[in-house]
Amino acid sequence: MEKIFFSNKLKFSKVKDLPALEKFATSIGWTHLPEEFGDTIATLESTSGHKAVVGCSHFVATYKREVFKELPINNSPYLIDGDSELLYLDLPVVKKGGYRLSTYSNNAFHLGNVHESWMEKEFEKLIEKGNKFIDYSYLSNISTSTFSYYLDNVIFKKIFKKKSILKWVLKRKGLNNSQLFNYLDRKY
């Protein structure tokens, strides 16, 4: 993380697909998407210029094989609740030095519990494609050293508990004062 954190590749960018974000808010029972949730999002840019969103809430996921070696041995007492997301989805990736990223474009929808007319319209837009094998063997395995894990997950966490430092970092990554307030100080 330390390599990415101090680079210009990690920054806040404009939300690319605000209507999809608004649909998500509606699907989880919100009456609307608060304005401050739809202006910026943390992104990571590759050397080829592709952007990914840092983190994700509701998601479709692909994990590299080596991440599964970090899964807890026992089953979770929860389905998707309690600490199950942390223990089974987040920590295994972090322990291997990886990131939980989302596509910058919206490629999946949260359908919620109620049928809405837009769902049929989006379904009709789907184009069937034949099966295609993509060989990802050229990608290196993800792994982390004990030192890197300690630096990222112990030292950085302690440093960022100081609000003044976190504010400075977030401002450096592209948030303005209003966005900083929404991110750090607003009570929801």
Side-chain angles (χ1 to χ4, degrees):
M1 177 178 129
E2 62 277 354
K3 293 178 280 187
I4 303 273
F5 186 77
F6 293 107
S7 81
N8 290 331
K9 294 178 183 194
L10 178 64
K11 61 186 171 196
F12 285 89
S13 301
K14 185 174 175 21
V15 169
K16 186 174 183 178
D17 191 350
L18 187 57
L21 198 54
E22 289 168 341
K23 284 178 188 171
F24 170 73
T26 303
S27 77
I28 60 171
W30 293 8
T31 56
H32 69 287
L33 178 72
E35 185 179 331
E36 62 270 12
F37 289 177
D39 58 356
T40 58
I41 196 158
T43 60
L44 188 59
E45 190 169 336
S46 71
T47 51
S48 61
H50 292 90
K51 282 186 183 178
V53 174
V54 176
C56 51
S57 51
H58 287 65
F59 60 94
V60 176
T62 303
Y63 287 90
K64 294 196 74 171
R65 179 185 327 204
E66 55 270 22
V67 168
F68 292 100
K69 294 175 184 169
E70 298 296 332
L71 286 173
I73 295 170
N74 298 324
N75 291 333
S76 172
Y78 311 103
L79 293 176
I80 299 283
D81 202 4
D83 61 0
S84 64
E85 284 188 64
L86 173 69
L87 296 176
Y88 292 83
L89 301 176
D90 293 336
L91 282 181
V93 175
V94 169
K95 287 179 179 177
K96 282 294 187 182
Y99 303 95
R100 186 165 161 185
L101 303 173
S102 303
T103 57
Y104 190 45
S105 298
N106 187 59
N107 294 310
F109 293 97
H110 182 266
L111 298 180
N113 298 322
V114 178
H115 181 270
E116 298 174 62
S117 60
W118 67 264
M119 295 174 183
E120 288 180 35
K121 292 175 189 164
E122 291 297 331
F123 182 78
E124 295 300 323
K125 289 182 193 177
L126 293 175
I127 300 168
E128 189 172 331
K129 294 183 179 180
N131 291 340
K132 179 180 175 185
F133 175 77
I134 302 173
D135 183 10
Y136 291 109
S137 62
Y138 66 92
L139 295 173
S140 60
N141 287 348
I142 57 174
S143 65
T144 189
S145 68
T146 304
F147 174 76
S148 290
Y149 180 81
Y150 183 79
L151 180 65
D152 292 349
N153 296 286
V154 177
I155 303 295
F156 275 180
K157 277 186 179 180
K158 283 184 180 179
I159 291 170
F160 290 140
K161 283 187 178 179
K162 290 198 67 76
K163 194 172 184 180
S164 59
I165 293 174
L166 183 57
K167 260 185 167 173
W168 178 80
V169 169
L170 293 174
K171 193 162 192 148
R172 189 174 168 269
K173 294 295 179 184
L175 291 184
N176 62 38
N177 287 334
S178 172
Q179 292 164 331
L180 279 170
F181 172 77
N182 290 332
Y183 192 80
L184 297 173
D185 298 319
R186 180 165 282 181
K187 305 290 185 242
Y188 292 98

